[in-house]
Amino acid sequence: MSETPHRVRRSQAWFGRQDRDGFIYRSWLKNRGIPHDQFDGRPVIGICNTYSELTPCNSHFRTLAEQVKIGVWEAGGFPLEFPVMSLGETLLRPTAMLFRNLASMDVEESIRGNPLDGIVLLMGCDKTTPALLMGASSCDLPAIGVSGGPMLNGKFRGADTGSGTGVWQMSEEVRAGRMAQEDFFEAESCMHRSHGHCMTMGTASTMASMVEALGMSLPGNAAIPAVDGRRNVLARASGRRIVEMVNEDMVMSKILTRAAFENAIRTNAAIGGSTNAVIHLLAIAGRIGIDLSLADWDTLGRDLPCLVNLQPSGKYLMEDFYYAGGLPAVIRELDSVIDRNALTANGKSLWDNCKDAPNWNRDVIHSFAEPFKADAGIAVLRGNLCPDGAVIKPSAATPALLQHTGRAVVFENSEHMHQRLDDENLDVDEHCVLVLKNCGPKGYPGMAEAGNMPLPPKVLRKGITDMVRVSDARMSGTAYGTVILHVAPEAAAGGPLALVRDGDMVELDVAGRRLHLHVSEQELARRRADWIAPEAPAPRGWVKLYFDHVQQANLGADLDFLVGKSGAAVPKDNH
Ligand code: FES
């Protein structure tokens, strides 16, 4: 262990004092039997826990935290666990994304205000990962990520069924009259049968992969199933390692470099990762001070293939991915495109961690030479319908629809969509383009995962499974389809999306990176004159603060005043 000489630990500003304040800092902690020698200057490690029974994907985090603590003690540190706001994707209304930035503020202030030298971030369900990385980045202490791990594969009637992806498929089957309601209910118990987060390559698995690709975790973090004993080993090893990281002064900004983000973007293409990673990585980069833009996603990932045959882009699930070799096996395949020298949490380079990684199943993890799908990076579109950009995940889309012009069928908001979509008199066919407005950061508010809107029943009955859909919303990482998302500026911010009307022709050209509304400038100007900006959806509280300050999707949807970092210093104390 290489220790930085003469470094006074941050926690000693609390525990090292010999006066009245030192008494206060130590004495209350001793109420549960902490011996005096724990305050002797050893690294104090905060375990930032997003455990909550309201976040089912993180409901095993007490066990995980205990493993981290054992590791910290084994390495000579002093662990202190603390809770932060937990964001569960399935229960929290109106959408967990509305609270990502709020949770990040909780994380940031909880770290900064307490006597901590290093942090272990326990993350699982979708938004818990970016929220913790964002908040911790703004303090920039040594930190290591431990993801909760994916659930075991869902099993329904002898076949695998994947979180989210299976729900979208089966609900369309029910709507088309091809699946009985009782079977649909039965599937509920079969899909999610163990601790962990969604086991498709949805947002949670994507973000756990991003944590590993960024270098913010030990190797293996992305894929070890939540209930596999090796997940506990990883947690324990991370507890040991964070103590060393404090001694080495390995703050987050030493790991989260421009090269790390570039590696993560390339890895996201190779795993067929969620479009949500675009927004989250932009926001994390904004906090740590790395100049990353939406255009980087296209430039860096544009020609990269998808190597991983996982739902929603492919067939398998995260358990299969782990047994096939997990993320290290993918990164090994990326040797010609990644920055091999990027530093990771264990003190080694990304390449050193992955260069000998085995691949046990080529049908799950393909080679770079013979990929699962070609050109799988996130495509960033521009055009008069999205002057500040929009994204599409070509690997989850229908190839024949990637170049398409169709008549717009417009929904003013999600309520309007639900009201209209099942109407048998709706003038729509499979060649139309479904356009959904007012589901962006301000419009929903919180940027709902509503972009993969259901298809109209009369289209479904023809056996059609995909249509071009355009919105300022996000899409669940478990969803699929020819879905254009994150249109910026959003409708509620006065973007051109607000001006689209039924019958307008919309042109999508993914190869040309173009999304165009075939309406003249003069007509758009006329429509704009009639547009009325929406008011904040609430007069007070978080929603008002969020509405007034949230940035657009192309900037990561962080609050404008949260961008950047303030370090970990706290000059005052009220004792
Ligand atoms: Fe929590 Fe999918 S609902 S990760």
Side-chain angles (χ1 to χ4, degrees):
M1 179 189 315
S2 62
E3 232 173 284
T4 306
H6 313 304
R7 179 172 158 78
V8 178
R9 291 211 170 87
R10 182 174 183 270
S11 59
Q12 282 297 293
W14 282 257
F15 299 142
R17 290 175 64 154
Q18 305 303 312
D19 56 3
R20 182 198 65 176
D21 288 355
F23 179 104
I24 292 168
Y25 295 133
R26 292 183 299 269
S27 179
W28 266 259
L29 269 175
K30 288 180 177 180
N31 72 349
R32 62 191 170 101
I34 306 278
H36 191 76
D37 61 14
Q38 294 291 296
F39 304 101
D40 61 1
R42 65 189 70 196
V44 179
I45 305 300
I47 302 171
C48 182
N49 199 342
T50 47
Y51 162 82
S52 168
E53 288 184 348
L54 294 170
T55 305
C57 306
N58 298 16
S59 62
H60 59 302
F61 278 23
R62 283 180 168 162
T63 311
L64 213 57
E66 288 308 313
Q67 294 297 324
V68 173
K69 279 183 203 171
I70 293 171
V72 171
W73 277 314
E74 285 173 339
F78 175 19
L80 288 168
E81 181 187 345
F82 62 98
V84 289
M85 184 181 193
S86 187
L87 306 176
E89 206 58 36
T90 52
L91 301 178
L92 196 54
R93 291 180 173 184
T95 172
M97 182 63 179
L98 176 60
F99 306 106
R100 183 199 65 177
N101 302 334
L102 178 61
S104 79
M105 291 168 81
D106 180 358
V107 172
E108 177 180 345
E109 302 305 338
S110 295
I111 293 172
R112 184 179 296 115
N114 280 297
L116 304 173
D117 301 308
I119 317 293
V120 180
L121 305 168
L122 299 189
M123 315 172 279
C125 199
D126 295 10
K127 306 304 173 294
T128 56
T129 301
L132 267 56
L133 288 173
M134 289 162 69
S137 291
S138 289
C139 295
D140 201 15
L141 288 173
I144 191 167
V146 177
S147 299
M151 288 180 254
L152 298 176
N153 290 2
K155 295 281 182 188
F156 179 54
R157 301 197 165 167
D160 283 352
T161 180
S163 301
T165 307
V167 183
W168 317 132
Q169 285 163 347
M170 285 188 277
S171 65
E172 295 289 64
E173 291 294 294
V174 172
R175 291 178 72 241
R178 291 191 289 264
M179 184 178 192
Q181 192 70 47
E182 313 80 75
D183 297 343
F184 192 55
F185 288 150
E186 188 190 335
E188 285 179 12
S189 317
C190 304
M191 186 172 285
H192 303 120
R193 62 194 181 92
S194 81
H195 283 301
H197 56 68
C198 289
M199 83 310 265
T200 38
M201 187 50 85
T203 305
S205 293
T206 298
M207 290 309 296
S209 301
M210 294 297 92
V211 169
E212 188 171 337
L214 284 165
M216 279 300 302
S217 71
L218 297 181
N221 177 69
I224 304 171
V227 295
D228 192 307
R230 288 165 284 188
R231 178 60 61 181
N232 284 345
V233 173
L234 181 96
R236 192 154 156 179
S238 302
R240 291 178 186 168
R241 177 60 194 154
I242 187 65
V243 175
E244 294 176 349
M245 289 171 75
V246 169
N247 289 331
E248 295 164 7
D249 195 27
M250 193 192 278
V251 295
M252 288 179 80
S253 54
K254 291 185 181 173
I255 296 174
L256 292 179
T257 59
R258 168 91 192 174
F261 283 97
E262 292 185 357
N263 284 342
I265 289 173
R266 290 178 168 124
T267 302
N268 189 67
I271 61 173
S274 164
T275 46
N276 283 321
V278 178
I279 291 182
H280 297 325
L281 257 60
L282 288 170
I284 297 162
R287 293 296 185 96
I288 202 78
I290 296 297
D291 185 16
L292 193 73
S293 71
L294 182 61
D296 286 324
W297 280 85
D298 206 310
T299 314
L300 297 166
R302 182 174 196 132
D303 303 324
L304 290 183
C306 174
L307 309 184
V308 175
N309 182 4
L310 249 63
Q311 294 182 29
S313 298
K315 171 177 161 193
Y316 294 101
L317 294 167
M318 287 299 288
E319 197 182 337
D320 310 305
F321 183 47
Y322 178 55
Y323 303 148
L327 200 70
V330 175
I331 291 173
R332 182 180 180 181
E333 291 292 331
L334 298 179
D335 64 337
S336 61
V337 295
I338 57 158
D339 185 325
R340 295 175 169 215
N341 297 318
L343 180 67
T344 74
N346 66 0
K348 296 181 184 168
S349 72
L350 188 67
W351 184 245
D352 277 345
N353 287 337
C354 303
K355 64 180 190 302
D356 299 319
N359 185 325
W360 303 110
N361 189 336
R362 281 287 178 203
D363 196 35
V364 178
I365 303 172
H366 289 229
S367 68
F368 197 82
E370 293 178 46
F372 173 54
K373 290 185 180 182
D375 301 334
I378 303 280
V380 177
L381 308 173
R382 304 274 174 185
N384 69 347
L385 192 46
C386 54
D388 292 336
V391 303
I392 184 170
K393 182 177 169 182
S395 64
T398 302
L401 289 175
L402 293 176
Q403 184 112 28
H404 181 84
T405 301
R407 172 171 60 88
V409 175
V410 179
F411 308 110
E412 292 301 322
N413 50 45
S414 57
E415 293 79 14
H416 187 223
M417 176 192 73
H418 289 303
Q419 210 180 70
R420 251 187 124 194
L421 206 62
D422 287 342
D423 182 352
E424 291 292 334
N425 295 320
L426 180 66
D427 182 15
V428 64
D429 62 37
E430 62 272 29
H431 307 295
C432 290
V433 173
L434 303 181
V435 176
L436 174 63
K437 305 177 183 176
N438 293 307
C439 288
K442 281 173 183 281
Y444 192 68
M447 210 177 174
E449 289 189 337
N452 56 315
M453 54 198 110
L455 304 192
K458 63 186 194 190
V459 172
L460 280 174
R461 281 197 300 272
K462 292 189 205 170
I464 305 291
T465 55
D466 195 10
M467 289 172 69
V468 175
R469 288 159 271 181
V470 179
S471 75
D472 47 16
R474 295 176 302 117
M475 170 172 88
S476 164
T478 61
Y480 50 87
T482 311
V483 185
I484 298 134
L485 304 156
H486 311 181
V487 166
E490 63 179 308
L497 186 69
L499 311 178
V500 185
R501 292 185 181 167
D502 273 343
D504 291 347
M505 296 306 285
V506 175
E507 181 189 348
L508 169 66
D509 172 12
V510 174
R513 298 298 195 260
R514 185 159 178 266
L515 182 64
H516 188 77
L517 181 65
H518 285 275
V519 175
S520 70
E521 282 303 316
Q522 295 88 328
E523 172 60 16
L524 287 177
R526 269 194 294 277
R527 293 181 191 180
R528 181 169 296 289
D530 294 337
W531 181 74
I532 299 166
E535 302 210 338
R540 61 169 296 282
W542 168 252
V543 173
K544 170 79 171 129
L545 184 70
Y546 172 89
F547 183 86
D548 289 345
H549 291 280
V550 72
Q551 297 184 305
Q552 289 296 288
N554 60 304
L555 299 175
D558 201 359
L559 301 194
D560 50 12
F561 62 83
L562 287 175
V563 175
K565 61 185 176 204
S566 312
V570 189
K572 289 188 176 180
D573 186 340
N574 72 345
H575 291 318

mmCIF file of all heavy atoms in Angstrom, residues 60-86:
data_model
loop_
_atom_site.group_PDB
_atom_site.id
_atom_site.type_symbol
_atom_site.label_atom_id
_atom_site.label_comp_id
_atom_site.label_asym_id
_atom_site.label_seq_id
_atom_site.Cartn_x
_atom_site.Cartn_y
_atom_site.Cartn_z
ATOM 1 N N HIS A 60 -31.571 -5.699 -1.076
ATOM 2 C CA HIS A 60 -30.564 -6.556 -0.439
ATOM 3 C C HIS A 60 -29.332 -5.759 -0.007
ATOM 4 O O HIS A 60 -28.306 -6.343 0.337
ATOM 5 C CB HIS A 60 -30.132 -7.668 -1.400
ATOM 6 C CG HIS A 60 -29.549 -7.161 -2.700
ATOM 7 N ND1 HIS A 60 -30.248 -6.330 -3.549
ATOM 8 C CD2 HIS A 60 -28.355 -7.362 -3.294
ATOM 9 C CE1 HIS A 60 -29.489 -6.055 -4.604
ATOM 10 N NE2 HIS A 60 -28.332 -6.661 -4.460
ATOM 11 N N PHE A 61 -29.428 -4.455 -0.014
ATOM 12 C CA PHE A 61 -28.235 -3.633 0.206
ATOM 13 C C PHE A 61 -27.751 -3.610 1.645
ATOM 14 O O PHE A 61 -26.629 -3.176 1.899
ATOM 15 C CB PHE A 61 -28.482 -2.207 -0.299
ATOM 16 C CG PHE A 61 -28.286 -2.055 -1.790
ATOM 17 C CD1 PHE A 61 -28.379 -3.144 -2.638
ATOM 18 C CD2 PHE A 61 -28.010 -0.815 -2.351
ATOM 19 C CE1 PHE A 61 -28.203 -3.017 -4.010
ATOM 20 C CE2 PHE A 61 -27.813 -0.677 -3.722
ATOM 21 C CZ PHE A 61 -27.921 -1.775 -4.551
ATOM 22 N N ARG A 62 -28.591 -4.059 2.592
ATOM 23 C CA ARG A 62 -28.079 -4.151 3.965
ATOM 24 C C ARG A 62 -26.990 -5.214 4.029
ATOM 25 O O ARG A 62 -25.956 -5.034 4.671
ATOM 26 C CB ARG A 62 -29.218 -4.499 4.926
ATOM 27 C CG ARG A 62 -30.086 -3.310 5.233
ATOM 28 C CD ARG A 62 -31.198 -3.703 6.176
ATOM 29 N NE ARG A 62 -31.875 -2.535 6.699
ATOM 30 C CZ ARG A 62 -33.070 -2.556 7.262
ATOM 31 N NH1 ARG A 62 -33.726 -3.704 7.367
ATOM 32 N NH2 ARG A 62 -33.613 -1.455 7.713
ATOM 33 N N THR A 63 -27.253 -6.342 3.375
ATOM 34 C CA THR A 63 -26.263 -7.423 3.330
ATOM 35 C C THR A 63 -24.994 -6.951 2.634
ATOM 36 O O THR A 63 -23.869 -7.202 3.083
ATOM 37 C CB THR A 63 -26.830 -8.626 2.532
ATOM 38 O OG1 THR A 63 -28.125 -8.903 3.023
ATOM 39 C CG2 THR A 63 -25.953 -9.843 2.648
ATOM 40 N N LEU A 64 -25.185 -6.248 1.532
ATOM 41 C CA LEU A 64 -24.044 -5.760 0.761
ATOM 42 C C LEU A 64 -23.203 -4.795 1.603
ATOM 43 O O LEU A 64 -21.966 -4.864 1.611
ATOM 44 C CB LEU A 64 -24.580 -5.047 -0.490
ATOM 45 C CG LEU A 64 -23.775 -5.099 -1.771
ATOM 46 C CD1 LEU A 64 -23.505 -6.526 -2.207
ATOM 47 C CD2 LEU A 64 -24.522 -4.354 -2.884
ATOM 48 N N ALA A 65 -23.893 -3.931 2.338
ATOM 49 C CA ALA A 65 -23.184 -2.948 3.173
ATOM 50 C C ALA A 65 -22.379 -3.655 4.263
ATOM 51 O O ALA A 65 -21.261 -3.234 4.592
ATOM 52 C CB ALA A 65 -24.181 -1.974 3.801
ATOM 53 N N GLU A 66 -22.936 -4.740 4.815
ATOM 54 C CA GLU A 66 -22.200 -5.479 5.856
ATOM 55 C C GLU A 66 -20.913 -6.060 5.279
ATOM 56 O O GLU A 66 -19.879 -6.080 5.944
ATOM 57 C CB GLU A 66 -23.084 -6.601 6.433
ATOM 58 C CG GLU A 66 -24.223 -6.105 7.315
ATOM 59 C CD GLU A 66 -23.748 -5.159 8.417
ATOM 60 O OE1 GLU A 66 -22.757 -5.465 9.101
ATOM 61 O OE2 GLU A 66 -24.387 -4.089 8.569
ATOM 62 N N GLN A 67 -20.974 -6.538 4.051
ATOM 63 C CA GLN A 67 -19.776 -7.081 3.409
ATOM 64 C C GLN A 67 -18.729 -5.995 3.182
ATOM 65 O O GLN A 67 -17.533 -6.219 3.378
ATOM 66 C CB GLN A 67 -20.142 -7.744 2.071
ATOM 67 C CG GLN A 67 -21.018 -8.968 2.208
ATOM 68 C CD GLN A 67 -20.331 -10.087 2.985
ATOM 69 O OE1 GLN A 67 -19.130 -10.284 2.869
ATOM 70 N NE2 GLN A 67 -21.099 -10.815 3.782
ATOM 71 N N VAL A 68 -19.196 -4.822 2.766
ATOM 72 C CA VAL A 68 -18.267 -3.703 2.570
ATOM 73 C C VAL A 68 -17.595 -3.364 3.899
ATOM 74 O O VAL A 68 -16.368 -3.161 3.961
ATOM 75 C CB VAL A 68 -19.003 -2.457 2.008
ATOM 76 C CG1 VAL A 68 -18.067 -1.249 1.981
ATOM 77 C CG2 VAL A 68 -19.558 -2.740 0.611
ATOM 78 N N LYS A 69 -18.387 -3.336 4.960
ATOM 79 C CA LYS A 69 -17.837 -2.990 6.284
ATOM 80 C C LYS A 69 -16.745 -3.971 6.709
ATOM 81 O O LYS A 69 -15.693 -3.554 7.207
ATOM 82 C CB LYS A 69 -18.956 -3.022 7.346
ATOM 83 C CG LYS A 69 -19.782 -1.773 7.377
ATOM 84 C CD LYS A 69 -20.809 -1.855 8.494
ATOM 85 C CE LYS A 69 -21.941 -0.925 8.180
ATOM 86 N NZ LYS A 69 -23.087 -1.080 9.074
ATOM 87 N N ILE A 70 -17.013 -5.244 6.480
ATOM 88 C CA ILE A 70 -15.993 -6.251 6.841
ATOM 89 C C ILE A 70 -14.691 -5.944 6.105
ATOM 90 O O ILE A 70 -13.603 -5.959 6.684
ATOM 91 C CB ILE A 70 -16.497 -7.678 6.509
ATOM 92 C CG1 ILE A 70 -17.665 -8.053 7.410
ATOM 93 C CG2 ILE A 70 -15.359 -8.697 6.664
ATOM 94 C CD1 ILE A 70 -18.374 -9.348 7.005
ATOM 95 N N GLY A 71 -14.829 -5.629 4.822
ATOM 96 C CA GLY A 71 -13.645 -5.313 4.020
ATOM 97 C C GLY A 71 -12.914 -4.087 4.542
ATOM 98 O O GLY A 71 -11.674 -4.063 4.605
ATOM 99 N N VAL A 72 -13.663 -3.067 4.921
ATOM 100 C CA VAL A 72 -13.043 -1.834 5.439
ATOM 101 C C VAL A 72 -12.283 -2.148 6.722
ATOM 102 O O VAL A 72 -11.125 -1.736 6.909
ATOM 103 C CB VAL A 72 -14.118 -0.743 5.687
ATOM 104 C CG1 VAL A 72 -13.516 0.458 6.419
ATOM 105 C CG2 VAL A 72 -14.749 -0.304 4.361
ATOM 106 N N TRP A 73 -12.910 -2.906 7.620
ATOM 107 C CA TRP A 73 -12.237 -3.267 8.875
ATOM 108 C C TRP A 73 -10.974 -4.089 8.611
ATOM 109 O O TRP A 73 -9.937 -3.874 9.224
ATOM 110 C CB TRP A 73 -13.192 -4.059 9.782
ATOM 111 C CG TRP A 73 -14.121 -3.188 10.589
ATOM 112 C CD1 TRP A 73 -13.796 -2.071 11.299
ATOM 113 C CD2 TRP A 73 -15.528 -3.379 10.761
ATOM 114 N NE1 TRP A 73 -14.916 -1.543 11.894
ATOM 115 C CE2 TRP A 73 -15.999 -2.339 11.594
ATOM 116 C CE3 TRP A 73 -16.450 -4.332 10.320
ATOM 117 C CZ2 TRP A 73 -17.323 -2.215 11.982
ATOM 118 C CZ3 TRP A 73 -17.782 -4.203 10.713
ATOM 119 C CH2 TRP A 73 -18.203 -3.164 11.530
ATOM 120 N N GLU A 74 -11.124 -5.044 7.686
ATOM 121 C CA GLU A 74 -9.964 -5.892 7.374
ATOM 122 C C GLU A 74 -8.762 -5.076 6.904
ATOM 123 O O GLU A 74 -7.616 -5.445 7.143
ATOM 124 C CB GLU A 74 -10.330 -6.904 6.272
ATOM 125 C CG GLU A 74 -11.196 -8.041 6.771
ATOM 126 C CD GLU A 74 -11.697 -8.928 5.646
ATOM 127 O OE1 GLU A 74 -11.730 -8.477 4.480
ATOM 128 O OE2 GLU A 74 -12.080 -10.066 5.924
ATOM 129 N N ALA A 75 -9.052 -3.955 6.221
ATOM 130 C CA ALA A 75 -7.966 -3.132 5.685
ATOM 131 C C ALA A 75 -7.529 -2.042 6.657
ATOM 132 O O ALA A 75 -6.689 -1.207 6.315
ATOM 133 C CB ALA A 75 -8.398 -2.520 4.362
ATOM 134 N N GLY A 76 -8.138 -2.029 7.850
ATOM 135 C CA GLY A 76 -7.714 -1.051 8.849
ATOM 136 C C GLY A 76 -8.458 0.266 8.793
ATOM 137 O O GLY A 76 -7.997 1.267 9.355
ATOM 138 N N GLY A 77 -9.604 0.298 8.150
ATOM 139 C CA GLY A 77 -10.409 1.520 8.104
ATOM 140 C C GLY A 77 -11.546 1.475 9.115
ATOM 141 O O GLY A 77 -11.726 0.495 9.839
ATOM 142 N N PHE A 78 -12.300 2.541 9.160
ATOM 143 C CA PHE A 78 -13.425 2.698 10.097
ATOM 144 C C PHE A 78 -14.665 3.005 9.249
ATOM 145 O O PHE A 78 -14.795 4.119 8.725
ATOM 146 C CB PHE A 78 -13.086 3.833 11.069
ATOM 147 C CG PHE A 78 -14.188 4.217 12.022
ATOM 148 C CD1 PHE A 78 -15.270 3.383 12.297
ATOM 149 C CD2 PHE A 78 -14.131 5.446 12.679
ATOM 150 C CE1 PHE A 78 -16.270 3.762 13.188
ATOM 151 C CE2 PHE A 78 -15.123 5.837 13.570
ATOM 152 C CZ PHE A 78 -16.195 5.001 13.809
ATOM 153 N N PRO A 79 -15.572 2.029 9.066
ATOM 154 C CA PRO A 79 -16.721 2.244 8.191
ATOM 155 C C PRO A 79 -17.907 2.898 8.909
ATOM 156 O O PRO A 79 -18.215 2.549 10.056
ATOM 157 C CB PRO A 79 -17.093 0.817 7.765
ATOM 158 C CG PRO A 79 -16.676 -0.047 8.910
ATOM 159 C CD PRO A 79 -15.508 0.635 9.581
ATOM 160 N N LEU A 80 -18.552 3.808 8.241
ATOM 161 C CA LEU A 80 -19.783 4.423 8.757
ATOM 162 C C LEU A 80 -20.800 4.463 7.614
ATOM 163 O O LEU A 80 -20.599 5.168 6.620
ATOM 164 C CB LEU A 80 -19.493 5.840 9.270
ATOM 165 C CG LEU A 80 -18.694 5.929 10.579
ATOM 166 C CD1 LEU A 80 -18.224 7.372 10.825
ATOM 167 C CD2 LEU A 80 -19.512 5.431 11.759
ATOM 168 N N GLU A 81 -21.863 3.714 7.796
ATOM 169 C CA GLU A 81 -22.879 3.621 6.742
ATOM 170 C C GLU A 81 -23.915 4.726 6.909
ATOM 171 O O GLU A 81 -24.289 5.054 8.036
ATOM 172 C CB GLU A 81 -23.556 2.245 6.864
ATOM 173 C CG GLU A 81 -24.626 1.982 5.831
ATOM 174 C CD GLU A 81 -25.369 0.670 6.118
ATOM 175 O OE1 GLU A 81 -24.882 -0.145 6.930
ATOM 176 O OE2 GLU A 81 -26.446 0.481 5.535
ATOM 177 N N PHE A 82 -24.360 5.285 5.813
ATOM 178 C CA PHE A 82 -25.422 6.300 5.891
ATOM 179 C C PHE A 82 -26.401 6.134 4.724
ATOM 180 O O PHE A 82 -26.005 5.725 3.626
ATOM 181 C CB PHE A 82 -24.836 7.724 5.920
ATOM 182 C CG PHE A 82 -24.052 8.114 4.690
ATOM 183 C CD1 PHE A 82 -24.650 8.860 3.696
ATOM 184 C CD2 PHE A 82 -22.724 7.749 4.550
ATOM 185 C CE1 PHE A 82 -23.931 9.241 2.560
ATOM 186 C CE2 PHE A 82 -21.997 8.123 3.418
ATOM 187 C CZ PHE A 82 -22.601 8.867 2.425
ATOM 188 N N PRO A 83 -27.675 6.456 4.971
ATOM 189 C CA PRO A 83 -28.678 6.331 3.911
ATOM 190 C C PRO A 83 -28.770 7.613 3.099
ATOM 191 O O PRO A 83 -28.506 8.705 3.609
ATOM 192 C CB PRO A 83 -29.975 6.125 4.682
ATOM 193 C CG PRO A 83 -29.773 6.924 5.930
ATOM 194 C CD PRO A 83 -28.288 6.890 6.245
ATOM 195 N N VAL A 84 -29.108 7.474 1.843
ATOM 196 C CA VAL A 84 -29.466 8.630 1.026
ATOM 197 C C VAL A 84 -30.779 8.311 0.314
ATOM 198 O O VAL A 84 -31.213 7.157 0.299
ATOM 199 C CB VAL A 84 -28.385 8.981 -0.022
ATOM 200 C CG1 VAL A 84 -27.154 9.573 0.638
ATOM 201 C CG2 VAL A 84 -28.022 7.774 -0.872
ATOM 202 N N MET A 85 -31.355 9.318 -0.265
ATOM 203 C CA MET A 85 -32.624 9.147 -0.971
ATOM 204 C C MET A 85 -32.486 8.023 -2.002
ATOM 205 O O MET A 85 -31.537 8.003 -2.791
ATOM 206 C CB MET A 85 -32.979 10.443 -1.687
ATOM 207 C CG MET A 85 -34.314 10.396 -2.352
ATOM 208 S SD MET A 85 -34.676 11.941 -3.215
ATOM 209 C CE MET A 85 -36.424 11.702 -3.513
ATOM 210 N N SER A 86 -33.401 7.094 -1.978
ATOM 211 C CA SER A 86 -33.352 5.956 -2.894
ATOM 212 C C SER A 86 -34.433 6.116 -3.957
ATOM 213 O O SER A 86 -35.569 6.490 -3.646
ATOM 214 C CB SER A 86 -33.563 4.660 -2.110
ATOM 215 O OG SER A 86 -33.351 3.564 -2.960
#
